[in-house]
Amino acid sequence: EMDEQERVFQQRIDEGIKIEAKDWMPEAYRKTLIRQISQHAHSEIVGQLPEGNWVTRAPTLKRKSILLAKIQDEAGHGLYLYSAAETLGVSRDQLLADLHSGKAKYSSIFNYPTLTWADMGAIGWLVDGSAIINQIPLCRCSYGPYARAMIRVCKEESFHARQGYDIMLSLCRGTPEQKQMAQDALNRWWWPSLMMFGPSDALSVNSAQSSAWRIKLFSNDELRQKMVDQTVPQAEYLGLTVPDPDLKWNEQTQHYDFGEIDWEEFNNVLKGNGPCNRERLRARVKAYEDGAWFRDGLVAHAEKQERRKAQ
Ligand code: 3HC
């Protein structure tokens, strides 16, 4: 049963009062927030890699500058979220060490390759579209620093989704080959985008507690359903076919029924056996090691400043 402190804490949560960094919180609340916020930050940083592949291959200068702006936003979201995680008493170095050692997760979606320019459209439309559906509720989550970070992130994310859909629209209104490229990208990104929302509610180990603490305001399956309902009409407008033969509008429920997710593929990617897991982690470790000289320089400079002040 709860002791008095936990009872007061839960009462604040239930009343929708934000928990701030200096407030008392159960150790498990702190731990699950560090877990989720740091993995969210890792996702933003690793998420730059698939798109980075197309910066030098963008078809026009306009598309190149938009893609660069998006990738720069993702970096900013990552740093914003690392800072939110640090308010819970963890160091940036520890969080990065956990990513580089494979101990910490990042979103499965970033372990897939980006094979054509249409993938830039599908990622903006489907991946950022899913991220928005997941992140809007997080603006109202119980932990103050995380909720506030999400408000800024969501504003920039909607630009990411719109530019992605714009790429898909251009391709679908282009030559038959361009439309086929868009269809091929939809075929490859549709199911992995639905996996972003996590395992089914029945198999979700964290959902019950995260919901009680108002970290998770909607379940994995509820947000996944919202993504399907929102996206199918957009695919129809593009003249594209969603790669799910079981997809069917259900008049009773006013939702789309859709096929079974390949949970074996999902679990495989989480275990590190996705198409690009090793390549993504290698790129992050290399970037970190290549930046060591710069970090060392910053520390040496700071220590010299300290010594000067002490004189
Ligand atoms: N990829 C990798 N791991 C996943 C996952 C996915 N798509 N979905 C679930 N998992 C992991 C969970 O992290 C958990 O493992 P852990 O306990 O070791 O952390 C396990 O699978 C069980 O899943 P649960 O549903 O029980 O876990 P959560 O309650 O944490 O729910 C979540 C998972 C919905 C991803 C939740 O953590 C969340 O909302 N995270 C914040 C948002 C986020 O990370 N979004 C994905 C990144 S997309 C992005 O930010 C980039 C964008 O700008 C393009």
Side-chain angles (χ1 to χ4, degrees), residues 101-174:
S101 69
K103 179 165 172 277
K105 295 182 168 74
Y106 57 87
S107 187
S108 50
I109 191 71
F110 298 123
N111 290 305
Y112 290 85
T114 47
L115 306 179
T116 73
W117 172 251
D119 288 32
M120 293 306 103
I123 284 177
W125 173 36
L126 301 175
V127 174
D128 289 75
S130 297
I132 291 170
I133 290 177
N134 164 281
Q135 289 169 165
I136 294 274
L138 286 172
C139 297
R140 300 196 318 276
C141 80
S142 58
Y143 187 56
Y146 194 24
R148 291 189 290 272
M150 278 297 106
I151 292 168
R152 154 90 179 270
V153 165
C154 286
K155 287 197 176 72
E156 293 175 338
E157 212 72 276
S158 55
F159 146 67
H160 299 170
R162 274 207 312 281
Q163 63 84 38
Y165 195 71
D166 182 54
I167 290 174
M168 296 302 269
L169 208 49
S170 308
L171 291 170
C172 289
R173 290 175 173 167

Side-chain angles (χ1 to χ4, degrees), residues 91 179 246 248:
S91 77
K179 182 156 188 185
D246 299 325
K248 188 173 170 309

Side-chain angles (χ1 to χ4, degrees), residues 35-36 39-40 43-44 47 70 74 77 105-110 127-128 131 134-135 138 146 153 157 160 195-199 203-207 210 216 220 266 270:
R35 170 190 66 83
Q36 174 161 335
Q39 292 182 160
H40 195 162
S43 302
E44 301 282 2
K70 177 178 187 310
E74 311 294 8
H77 297 172
K105 295 182 168 74
Y106 57 87
S107 187
S108 50
I109 191 71
F110 298 123
V127 174
D128 289 75
N134 164 281
Q135 289 169 165
L138 286 172
Y146 194 24
V153 165
E157 212 72 276
H160 299 170
M195 293 176 198
M196 285 172 70
F197 293 97
L203 295 177
S204 163
V205 292
N206 298 309
S207 285
S210 286
K216 185 176 278 190
N220 297 0
F266 174 73
L270 258 63

